[in-house]
Amino acid sequence: MRMANTISRRVFAFLILTLFLISPTVAGNLRGTGDLGLIVERAAGSIQIIETTNNTSLGRIKGLGDLSHASAVFSRDARFAFIFGRDGGLTKVDLLTRKIVKRVIQGGNSIGGAISDDGRMVAVSNYSPGGVKIFRTDTLEMIADIPATYGQVIKKGTTTITISGQSKTVGLVDAPGKKFVFSLYNAGEIWVADCSKCLEGVKPKITKFKNVGKLPYDGLITGDGRTYIAGLFGEDGMVKLDLWQDKLKAERILDGYGKGEKKLPVYKMPHLEGWALAGNRFFLPAIGHHELLVMDAGSFKQIGSFPVYGQPVFAMARPDGRQIWVNFAHPRNDTVQVIDTHTMKLLKEFKPGKAVLHMEFTPRGEQVWISVRDADRIDIYDTKTLKLVKSLPAQKPSGIFFAARAMRTGL
Amino acid sequence: MRMANTISRRVFAFLILTLFLISPTVAGNLRGTGDLGLIVERAAGSIQIIETTNNTSLGRIKGLGDLSHASAVFSRDARFAFIFGRDGGLTKVDLLTRKIVKRVIQGGNSIGGAISDDGRMVAVSNYSPGGVKIFRTDTLEMIADIPATYGQVIKKGTTTITISGQSKTVGLVDAPGKKFVFSLYNAGEIWVADCSKCLEGVKPKITKFKNVGKLPYDGLITGDGRTYIAGLFGEDGMVKLDLWQDKLKAERILDGYGKGEKKLPVYKMPHLEGWALAGNRFFLPAIGHHELLVMDAGSFKQIGSFPVYGQPVFAMARPDGRQIWVNFAHPRNDTVQVIDTHTMKLLKEFKPGKAVLHMEFTPRGEQVWISVRDADRIDIYDTKTLKLVKSLPAQKPSGIFFAARAMRTGL
């Protein structure tokens, strides 16, 4: 009887402890996820989970491997993030419990990924061994492997040269209709993978566009999911693919892009994600020049340019398109400029600190978060007053990604 | 000893029960909120909470009063909905716990509302007594009351006529910079309320535009938050306000709108929310005619029209702008048409049943939910295959609203 009593007391104590331990954790986690986001801390291999309603940090998740150049996409319920690390790691994290759900090393050297419009598939792009792999978002089980094998036969008189190999893949994006689009760096090709039936075990249907230009280094898809554009490292100009046409055809655009003037050394290739759509104009970073190019979004022709402080890396449009926020390559990476796209005037120039690496707007654009790596700091600005609202500490922060990206094509 | 043991057993049993009761509830609620939504069941005064990842119903919240013509906006974390009922009720519901958080009767007869870009203020538009009231989203405490008082003095020879009163307010939307824009039905005015400092106790700064046209009956703001457009019941044409201009000026557009042909009786005024932006063109319901008007989004001039099955009520663009889904006024409200905006062809026409009232796309457009009131049913379609994916039962469903609206301006 006494023993039974002691046992029951122990169980009792254990239960009370359990209740106390569980309740705050679970209650603390019971929250909306639409205002969540993450900050990549590249040196530490960790991410910080933040929220943008009260601008606070909620915690940190460690053990994500090599996060240099890491990026993230989000599940359609805005609860989970899929993080693409440089070491080929694909990590699914739970923003609510702030735990790693699963982590797989899917390649040797990865360079970004994308999530399908139905949220059921995540695709990863690899430098080594090249190619694209596609995984189920619920289990991270691989459902398709697309090696980027290419071959070319060149005949010169009586000589035949055969080139073949595995290409690095870059500029991977999602497109409406469960499609992924990406570029083959070494092959100069763009591939469209239709994954409508990948979840049923059917291989993706690949459409290949060859000889699109030399060394495509990055790509983007317009917010409406209609136009894929790749930048070319090996030549002037870019290449676009209008996915709405019945007969898809890769077309060259901006043929003078970067030509005609003595080039400056290029310190950092600009990110094509940083193409800013404002009304019917794109603002895009000029490569190696201290300017943004202004392009008509209908004709894809350059219609002007805007001088900026340094070589632009990201030119990000506030969601309404009224402002463009620009950061720059080393050695001018301590500065941010804000441009009014309507008056075409410089609104503000300021120096948050060394190594401004990334900027992310809240979905409705009232605030922007800026990572200042060497200051170990995130700065949050009000985009109406252009004033600093708050700073948060972060360990060598690079990319900032908000869960609202789940609602957008190509992000 | 025996008694102590009995008590401890009872406490023990109670604790176990508590654990079992709490755990599933809390654990069941621990989920992302980006894929949540609600369906208005107008006759029952209830809403159904649904999720769009697996297309299921999660539960029902009752006691929301008169929900005819009800609409909803969402908190920036996508956890809470604010529901505007016809009886002047403003109800805050928690989509996670599926409970009413707070309910206030803020007016006599309300007609929609909006949420500020920072998510901290919700505004409600009233027919009776007229005007707009603004509330804190956290507490539903009223922070600003804007009576829609208007006055007009007309002199005819030696006669002076003074007209004054309280106007019904309609077409209330949010605009970037903590602003709300709305129209005064009786006064023929558009007001812009700058609420930048309302939370600090400062009254909204009102800018009034008079004589914009007779009887504005509804309004919309373009997705970029730049242009406010009101429909005029009292005359042909519409009125627009370009919020990016330094000196704001209301301008007339589409002056022939509804003119020049023998009009059909208008069974239901179309909703301006249903203006579909596809590329650089708007598709909007013609009033009283069996067609959509096609308008250039740059010049706001009509450039064409598209014949449809009946008097269109909503013309909703899939988020990528490639398709327009149209429903119709009584007696043709059993039909839906789908138009391809690129080929300008009718893709599909089908009859879900009597009283198709509303349509809502998932944020990335892969599916659309359709309410079929008289069939007590919600139909979910795949927008790529145009096939029915699933149906869910609902009690006389009308409006469908997804939490992803939190991320968008003017929704």
Side-chain angles (χ1 to χ4, degrees):
Chain A
M1 188 65 220
R2 188 171 196 98
M3 206 177 84
N5 196 21
T6 310
I7 288 170
S8 108
R9 275 194 194 159
R10 280 188 188 160
V11 176
F12 178 77
F14 170 76
L15 276 171
I16 286 199
L17 192 70
T18 308
L19 251 181
F20 273 81
L21 284 176
I22 285 177
S23 305
T25 315
V26 177
N29 287 331
L30 188 66
R31 54 159 298 140
T33 53
D35 59 346
L36 298 181
L38 64 88
I39 294 162
V40 174
E41 298 177 317
R42 56 199 270 173
S46 61
I47 58 170
Q48 238 188 93
I49 310 299
I50 57 84
E51 57 81 28
T52 66
T53 298
N54 298 302
N55 297 333
T56 60
S57 173
L58 300 173
R60 183 171 273 125
I61 305 175
K62 295 178 182 174
L64 281 91
D66 181 358
L67 292 183
S68 49
H69 221 279
S71 62
V73 297
F74 295 87
S75 64
R76 65 196 305 294
D77 62 357
R79 174 174 179 176
F80 301 99
F82 301 88
I83 294 149
F84 311 104
R86 195 55 179 263
D87 55 2
L90 165 63
T91 314
K92 179 179 180 178
V93 302
D94 184 337
L95 303 175
L96 279 177
T97 60
R98 296 190 285 281
K99 290 196 163 50
I100 291 175
V101 177
K102 191 154 186 185
R103 176 169 162 79
V104 296
I105 300 294
Q106 58 78 42
N109 186 343
S110 96
I111 186 75
I115 188 162
S116 61
D117 57 359
D118 66 351
R120 295 185 198 283
M121 295 172 282
V122 67
V124 194
S125 174
N126 288 304
Y127 268 6
S128 126
V132 167
K133 289 180 182 167
I134 298 171
F135 300 83
R136 294 180 66 101
T137 48
D138 51 359
T139 59
L140 294 196
E141 176 200 344
M142 190 171 80
I143 50 173
D145 187 0
I146 309 171
T149 312
Y150 69 100
Q152 207 180 351
V153 179
I154 302 166
K155 292 200 186 234
K156 281 195 179 176
T158 56
T159 313
T160 301
I161 304 165
T162 306
I163 304 167
S164 67
Q166 295 282 333
S167 178
K168 291 181 189 179
T169 53
V170 296
L172 170 67
V173 300
D174 56 85
K178 303 186 184 72
K179 287 177 183 162
F180 295 104
V181 189
F182 53 93
S183 297
L184 279 62
Y185 180 81
N186 309 81
E189 297 182 7
I190 296 172
W191 290 13
V192 178
D194 182 337
C195 241
S196 304
K197 297 183 177 170
C198 288
L199 284 168
E200 298 155 36
V202 179
K203 280 191 179 176
K205 199 181 135 201
I206 312 281
T207 311
K208 300 178 185 181
F209 300 89
K210 302 194 175 188
N211 304 314
V212 300
K214 282 180 196 153
L215 307 177
Y217 69 91
D218 195 7
L220 70 87
I221 192 161
T222 50
D224 61 4
R226 175 174 180 173
T227 311
Y228 180 79
I229 295 169
L232 301 172
F233 196 73
E235 52 193 294
D236 282 320
M238 309 187 86
V239 55
K240 95 172 165 82
L241 198 58
D242 178 352
L243 298 168
W244 282 17
Q245 302 299 335
D246 274 340
K247 295 195 173 171
L248 291 186
K249 198 178 68 179
E251 290 169 82
R252 289 295 291 269
I253 54 168
L254 290 177
D255 261 337
Y257 192 24
K259 220 164 56 178
E261 291 174 57
K262 191 169 171 294
K263 282 185 195 174
L264 297 170
V266 178
Y267 292 106
K268 182 169 171 57
M269 288 305 281
H271 281 267
L272 294 193
E273 188 206 336
W275 276 39
L277 183 64
N280 201 33
R281 293 170 299 171
F282 280 110
F283 290 75
L284 52 141
I287 298 174
H289 293 282
H290 293 192
E291 61 181 27
L292 301 182
L293 305 183
V294 186
M295 184 175 83
D296 181 83
S299 67
F300 291 91
K301 289 194 192 310
Q302 190 184 338
I303 52 173
S305 63
F306 193 95
V308 289
Y309 173 74
Q311 291 188 8
V313 175
F314 283 106
M316 309 284 278
R318 196 172 69 174
D320 68 348
R322 180 69 192 264
Q323 295 175 356
I324 310 274
W325 292 57
V326 191
N327 71 338
F328 304 97
H330 180 84
R332 301 197 165 201
N333 64 1
D334 61 345
T335 300
V336 170
Q337 285 187 318
V338 186
I339 297 160
D340 182 327
T341 61
H342 182 57
T343 62
M344 288 296 268
K345 284 186 182 152
L346 182 67
L347 277 180
K348 188 181 168 101
E349 177 181 313
F350 58 105
K351 293 190 187 297
K354 282 276 173 202
V356 172
L357 293 191
H358 201 212
M359 298 172 288
E360 178 90 337
F361 289 91
T362 50
R364 289 176 59 183
E366 80 284 2
Q367 294 193 335
V368 61
W369 290 46
I370 297 177
S371 58
V372 194
R373 188 191 60 199
D374 292 357
D376 289 314
R377 213 178 63 230
I378 298 287
D379 287 345
I380 305 167
Y381 281 82
D382 180 315
T383 63
K384 188 183 183 184
T385 62
L386 303 177
K387 284 186 182 150
L388 182 69
V389 174
K390 193 172 179 180
S391 291
L392 291 174
Q395 296 170 13
K396 301 273 167 287
S398 55
I400 308 173
F401 302 92
F402 292 160
R405 286 175 174 243
M407 319 298 172
R408 305 275 304 279
T409 292
L411 289 187
Chain B
M1 188 66 219
R2 189 169 195 96
M3 209 178 82
N5 195 22
T6 309
I7 289 172
S8 110
R9 272 195 193 158
R10 279 186 189 164
V11 177
F12 179 77
F14 170 76
L15 278 170
I16 287 199
L17 193 68
T18 309
L19 250 181
F20 272 83
L21 284 176
I22 284 178
S23 307
T25 314
V26 179
N29 287 331
L30 189 67
R31 53 161 297 139
T33 54
D35 59 346
L36 297 181
L38 64 88
I39 294 162
V40 173
E41 298 177 319
R42 57 199 272 171
S46 60
I47 57 171
Q48 238 189 92
I49 311 297
I50 57 86
E51 57 81 27
T52 65
T53 298
N54 298 303
N55 296 334
T56 61
S57 173
L58 300 173
R60 181 172 274 127
I61 305 175
K62 294 179 183 174
L64 282 90
D66 181 357
L67 292 183
S68 50
H69 221 279
S71 62
V73 297
F74 295 87
S75 64
R76 64 196 305 295
D77 61 357
R79 174 174 179 176
F80 301 99
F82 301 88
I83 295 150
F84 311 103
R86 195 53 177 265
D87 56 2
L90 165 62
T91 314
K92 179 178 180 178
V93 303
D94 184 338
L95 304 174
L96 279 177
T97 61
R98 297 190 285 281
K99 289 197 165 50
I100 291 176
V101 177
K102 190 153 186 185
R103 175 169 163 79
V104 295
I105 300 295
Q106 58 77 43
N109 186 343
S110 97
I111 185 74
I115 189 163
S116 60
D117 57 0
D118 66 351
R120 296 185 198 283
M121 295 173 281
V122 67
V124 193
S125 174
N126 287 303
Y127 270 6
S128 128
V132 167
K133 289 180 182 167
I134 298 170
F135 300 83
R136 294 180 66 102
T137 47
D138 50 0
T139 60
L140 293 196
E141 176 200 344
M142 190 171 79
I143 49 171
D145 186 0
I146 308 171
T149 312
Y150 70 101
Q152 207 180 351
V153 179
I154 303 167
K155 292 198 185 235
K156 279 194 178 175
T158 55
T159 313
T160 302
I161 303 166
T162 306
I163 304 166
S164 66
Q166 295 282 332
S167 178
K168 291 181 188 178
T169 53
V170 296
L172 171 66
V173 301
D174 58 82
K178 304 186 184 71
K179 288 178 182 159
F180 295 105
V181 189
F182 53 94
S183 297
L184 278 65
Y185 179 79
N186 309 82
E189 298 183 6
I190 296 173
W191 291 10
V192 179
D194 183 337
C195 241
S196 303
K197 295 181 177 172
C198 289
L199 284 168
E200 299 155 37
V202 179
K203 280 190 177 176
K205 197 180 136 200
I206 311 281
T207 310
K208 299 177 184 179
F209 300 90
K210 301 193 174 188
N211 304 313
V212 301
K214 283 181 195 153
L215 305 178
Y217 68 92
D218 195 8
L220 69 86
I221 192 162
T222 51
D224 61 5
R226 174 172 180 173
T227 310
Y228 180 79
I229 295 168
L232 301 171
F233 195 72
E235 51 195 292
D236 281 322
M238 310 187 87
V239 56
K240 97 172 163 85
L241 196 58
D242 178 351
L243 298 169
W244 282 17
Q245 301 299 333
D246 274 338
K247 296 194 175 173
L248 292 187
K249 201 178 65 180
E251 291 169 81
R252 289 295 292 269
I253 54 168
L254 290 177
D255 261 337
Y257 191 26
K259 222 165 57 180
E261 290 176 58
K262 193 171 169 294
K263 283 186 196 174
L264 298 171
V266 178
Y267 293 106
K268 183 169 171 54
M269 289 303 283
H271 282 267
L272 293 193
E273 188 206 336
W275 277 38
L277 182 63
N280 201 33
R281 292 170 300 170
F282 280 110
F283 290 75
L284 53 142
I287 299 175
H289 293 282
H290 293 193
E291 60 181 27
L292 301 182
L293 304 184
V294 186
M295 185 175 82
D296 181 83
S299 68
F300 291 91
K301 290 194 190 312
Q302 189 184 337
I303 51 174
S305 63
F306 193 96
V308 290
Y309 173 73
Q311 292 187 8
V313 176
F314 283 106
M316 309 285 278
R318 196 171 70 174
D320 69 347
R322 179 68 192 265
Q323 295 176 357
I324 309 273
W325 291 59
V326 192
N327 72 339
F328 304 98
H330 179 86
R332 300 196 167 202
N333 64 2
D334 61 343
T335 300
V336 169
Q337 286 187 319
V338 186
I339 298 159
D340 182 326
T341 61
H342 182 58
T343 62
M344 288 296 270
K345 285 188 181 152
L346 182 67
L347 275 180
K348 186 180 170 101
E349 176 181 315
F350 60 104
K351 294 190 186 297
K354 281 277 175 201
V356 172
L357 293 192
H358 201 212
M359 299 171 288
E360 177 92 338
F361 288 91
T362 49
R364 289 176 59 183
E366 79 283 4
Q367 293 194 338
V368 62
W369 289 47
I370 297 176
S371 58
V372 194
R373 187 191 60 198
D374 293 359
D376 290 312
R377 213 179 63 230
I378 298 287
D379 286 346
I380 305 167
Y381 281 82
D382 181 315
T383 64
K384 187 181 184 185
T385 62
L386 303 177
K387 285 187 181 151
L388 182 69
V389 175
K390 192 173 179 179
S391 291
L392 291 175
Q395 297 170 14
K396 301 277 170 284
S398 55
I400 309 173
F401 302 92
F402 292 161
R405 285 174 175 245
M407 319 299 172
R408 305 274 305 277
T409 292
L411 290 185

